Amino acid sequence: MENPTSAVNPERNSSWDTDVLIIGSGAAGLRAALAASEHTSVTLITKTTLTESNTHYAQGGIAVAMNLDDTVALHIKDTCAAGAGLCDAKAVEMMVSEGIPRVAELLDWGANFDWEGTLPRFTQEAAHSRRRIVHKGDATGRETTDVLIQRVLNTENIHVLQNTFAIDLLTDAGTSQEFQETATCYGVTAIVDQHVTSIRAKSTILATGGLGRIYPCTSNPKVATGDGFAAAWRAGCEMVDMEFVQFHPTTLFLDGAPNFLISEAVRGEGGQLINIRGERFMERYHERGELAPRDVVSRAIQIEMELTGFPCVYLDITHKPAEFIHERFPTISETTKHYGLDINIDLIPVRPGAHFMMGGIRTNTDTETNLKGLYACGEVACTGVHGANRLASNSLLECLVYGARAGTNAAAFAASQPSHPPDILPAGHTETSQTPDLDFIEAVKDAVRETLWENVSIERNGEGLRQTLAELKDLTINLGNVPATPAPNDIARIEAVNMLNVALMITESALERTESRGAHYRADFPTQDDSDWHRRILIKNNNPPKVISLE
Ligand code: FAD
Ligand code: SIN
């Protein structure tokens, strides 16, 4: 590997040129890099280290229709049922069927998943009609990224730049709406090594993952501040399904401990939810009990917390043998032990936390966005594959399938382009102001998290959404935009702007959708309304939300 931090190309005056630029080192970005590198040279940039991503922390596994009693049709059916009528049928079919060779290939590349005889050991997760989750204990993400990273580092024409923070896309969009319809993306501006630079590319893939960190309670790591969603939106990308944020039912709620995820696989293996009164409650909410869809379980926990006036419920796996728990859930056992909890004998205090974004940059199944030369894959993208609610363990599958497709397509586009992209300014910002005080920036981030948790989380209503919208607008005025000429120490400030941008998109979309569906629950419109709302909401910078029909 070349020096991973030497981003400045002296010949091109503080800029770096590449054929395909990939932003993000989760499963989607890494898989895209491998696919693109079969055809051309690639630069992969990542905000901190190669291993820091949502993918790295994935626990449960990868859903794939490989078990003997399973079929592609059944996996499609379960995915679409969880998606509550909004899944894109073509995208789902592609993910489920192409997922089989993508997972087989990962195993070929050395992924050391758990086996039982001649087959992977399939586990069960919520709303799956079959045991179809392949996994490595409860550390599937770490195993997956280890394999992909090793392969990336062994590929000569992939150049990795760590600690490289993407700010804004370089486009020729200008400011006029008409121009934006045919705009082209030529890379990004970035902060690397305390240095602001342009990374110019013939094609660019956004694989920047999720946005859980805009909420105070989340399973996501610190890097997940929604940067890619915000940069794409500022550059004129179409964003869809932004009201659908998934809350995982069980994140650890323990004094002094982070909101560490307690995998759904714990319930898949028989874990039971009980409230502070010792009552098992899930049967009252859904026929599938603990294995009901995530939105149902999260809402049930929220209701139980309100009914009992207690800030969490408990997950009980103590009836399973200690050896089984230790072998099946080593990471969860060790992490909870570190905080003084022995899950063989203790109940696990849990409550829901922000986990996954179903919406994102609108793409087709070729991962193309509405900007020429810009592709998106993984959690930041929205092919419509998850609809209004994602089925457990379908995200890593999506990353492998659409990551590979993005890499191949972006490489083909790059091959059709002239040798060097033009000199271009980043997507429009007008003001430059002094970097605000760090305490002020942190206060803005906290205020975003607080208002979203209060009004735009598991349960929403019109009044709360309008209040949050007003608060977000005030905070935006106070903080300002991304500066036209960012300073090397502007990362926290830009993250705060990004958080505000995505919070606005989510809140506006949630206000627009006057029904309840999947992960979006409106207390003032508590039922699903198929006559009006079997449709999607599209958001574009400087435009009011637009309702569009399913394709
Ligand atoms: P990520 O893996 O999040 O990678 C995004 C990358 O982009 C990171 O490297 C990040 O540093 C980089 N980045 C972000 N912003 C910038 C920027 N401004 N500049 C440069 N780089 C940037 N899904 C499943 O299918 N199965 C599971 O078992 C599962 N378990 C999960 C457990 C946890 C705790 C979490 C948080 C998620 C889990 N998910 C699971 C969801 C799944 O892991 C993610 O949706 C998926 O890994 C997203 O992959 P990605 O490649 O799109 O993004
Ligand atoms: C989990 O292990 O519960 C997370 C699985 C997922 O998000 O798909």
Side-chain angles (χ1 to χ4, degrees):
M1 192 177 84
E2 291 173 64
N3 175 3
T5 55
S6 62
V8 181
N9 178 350
E11 285 167 29
R12 293 297 307 260
N13 195 18
S14 259
S15 71
W16 177 272
D17 288 337
T18 184
D19 282 353
V20 176
L21 169 66
I22 296 171
I23 309 169
S25 62
L30 293 166
R31 190 59 192 82
L34 292 171
S37 71
E38 288 177 21
H39 310 280
T40 189
S41 67
V42 173
T43 300
L44 183 147
I45 69 172
T46 189
K47 192 165 169 175
T48 61
T49 59
L50 263 181
T51 49
E52 201 51 15
S53 63
N54 277 1
T55 304
H56 183 77
Y57 297 95
Q59 293 185 0
I62 309 179
V64 62
M66 280 177 156
N67 208 345
L68 297 179
D69 64 349
D70 205 357
T71 62
V72 163
L74 272 177
H75 191 177
I76 292 174
K77 191 170 165 216
D78 292 346
T79 300
C80 293
L86 288 196
C87 288
D88 181 294
K90 184 179 167 203
V92 174
E93 205 277 329
M94 192 173 275
M95 173 182 77
V96 170
S97 52
E98 290 186 16
I100 296 171
R102 290 289 78 80
V103 171
E105 164 189 85
L106 194 66
L107 294 169
D108 265 3
W109 291 346
N112 185 20
F113 288 169
D114 295 356
W115 285 79
E116 207 160 38
T118 55
L119 284 176
R121 184 169 156 193
F122 297 97
T123 194
Q124 180 78 53
E125 284 183 341
H128 285 275
S129 60
R130 293 289 184 275
R131 290 181 80 89
R132 64 162 70 95
I133 321 294
V134 296
H135 59 95
K136 163 77 174 171
D138 57 359
T140 309
R142 194 162 65 214
E143 182 66 16
T144 302
T145 41
D146 282 355
V147 167
L148 294 174
I149 286 173
Q150 206 43 53
R151 225 174 152 81
V152 160
L153 294 179
N154 288 337
T155 304
E156 226 169 66
N157 57 340
I158 303 178
H159 188 98
V160 175
L161 302 173
Q162 300 188 82
N163 300 307
T164 300
F165 178 88
I167 307 171
D168 263 316
L169 295 168
L170 294 163
T171 78
D172 57 7
T175 47
S176 105
Q177 188 60 35
E178 195 190 331
F179 200 26
Q180 280 194 11
E181 301 302 334
T182 54
T184 300
C185 174
Y186 295 105
V188 287
T189 49
I191 298 174
V192 49
D193 258 358
Q194 294 289 304
H195 192 97
V196 182
T197 189
S198 297
I199 305 179
R200 291 185 295 203
K202 294 180 190 169
S203 60
T204 302
I205 301 176
L206 268 172
T208 42
L211 47 70
R213 283 278 163 167
I214 66 171
Y215 289 90
C217 184
T218 177
S219 64
N220 289 194
K222 279 189 182 150
V223 289
T225 47
D227 303 342
F229 299 92
W233 175 76
R234 288 193 294 266
C237 280
E238 294 178 342
M239 312 295 294
V240 279
D241 296 351
M242 292 298 288
E243 65 274 36
F244 298 115
V245 181
Q246 182 176 76
F247 289 80
H248 195 290
T250 56
T251 66
L252 185 63
F253 181 67
L254 197 58
D255 245 3
N259 293 126
F260 176 73
L261 188 81
I262 308 295
S263 175
E264 192 149 296
V266 175
R267 280 173 284 132
E269 299 290 359
Q272 298 172 357
L273 285 166
I274 55 176
N275 63 21
I276 183 66
R277 297 179 187 138
E279 300 158 349
R280 194 170 168 195
F281 57 83
M282 269 317 299
E283 274 96 354
R284 293 207 300 271
Y285 294 90
H286 198 276
E287 62 199 7
R288 280 181 157 173
E290 277 82 359
L291 293 182
R294 273 185 193 168
D295 58 304
V296 176
V297 184
S298 289
R299 215 158 44 249
I301 292 176
Q302 172 108 336
I303 293 170
E304 292 296 313
M305 285 171 12
E306 277 161 19
L307 286 176
T308 59
F310 200 71
C312 68
V313 297
Y314 292 91
L315 185 57
D316 182 4
I317 187 78
T318 56
H319 52 284
K320 286 282 188 181
E323 316 80 72
F324 170 81
I325 294 177
H326 185 72
E327 193 222 335
R328 182 65 186 83
F329 302 114
T331 315
I332 296 173
S333 297
E334 275 154 38
T335 306
T336 45
K337 191 166 271 173
H338 179 77
Y339 294 103
L341 206 72
D342 179 353
I343 66 171
N344 295 303
I345 50 174
D346 294 327
L347 303 179
I348 313 171
V350 290
R351 68 171 180 178
H355 183 59
F356 181 83
M357 181 42 146
M358 268 73 72
I361 305 164
R362 187 188 197 189
T363 69
N364 59 18
T365 49
D366 285 330
T367 70
E368 291 166 328
T369 71
N370 60 310
L371 295 193
K372 253 198 285 170
L374 180 69
Y375 298 76
C377 55
E379 194 168 337
V380 74
C382 184
T383 54
V385 87
H386 305 301
N389 200 10
R390 172 172 70 86
L391 189 62
S393 289
N394 263 355
S395 175
L396 292 178
L397 189 70
E398 173 193 26
C399 289
L400 295 175
V401 169
Y402 287 105
R405 294 183 75 83
T408 305
N409 293 330
F413 183 84
S416 71
Q417 295 306 294
S419 54
H420 285 301
D423 285 318
I424 283 283
L425 288 171
H429 304 290
T430 45
E431 71 187 80
T432 302
S433 57
Q434 244 190 332
T435 303
D437 182 49
L438 202 56
D439 286 346
F440 174 76
I441 293 171
E442 290 307 321
V444 170
K445 287 182 173 182
D446 284 345
V448 173
R449 294 184 181 117
E450 227 166 86
T451 188
L452 287 184
W453 194 247
E454 186 64 28
N455 294 322
V456 201
S457 54
I458 295 173
E459 187 178 309
R460 298 117 187 239
N461 65 60
E463 195 189 330
L465 290 167
R466 276 186 286 276
Q467 185 190 322
T468 291
L469 209 50
E471 284 171 23
L472 294 173
K473 285 180 178 163
D474 282 349
L475 288 165
T476 305
I477 291 168
N478 290 338
L479 183 68
N481 292 322
V482 174
T485 48
N489 62 348
D490 266 338
I491 291 181
R493 172 195 197 173
I494 298 165
E495 272 183 353
V497 174
N498 291 341
M499 289 171 65
L500 274 166
N501 289 170
V502 289
L504 264 171
M505 287 183 251
I506 294 169
T507 309
E508 282 188 346
S509 303
L511 188 58
E512 186 73 17
R513 185 172 286 278
T514 47
E515 65 149 2
S516 292
R517 183 185 294 270
H520 170 73
Y521 182 79
R522 287 277 301 252
D524 47 352
F525 295 96
T527 52
Q528 186 167 311
D529 173 4
D530 280 325
S531 55
D532 266 349
W533 278 111
H534 193 227
R535 297 187 292 168
R536 306 173 81 182
I537 295 170
L538 183 149
I539 289 244
K540 225 175 146 186
N541 196 1
N542 294 325
N543 287 280
K546 188 168 143 192
V547 180
I548 57 170
S549 45
L550 293 175
E551 280 133 27

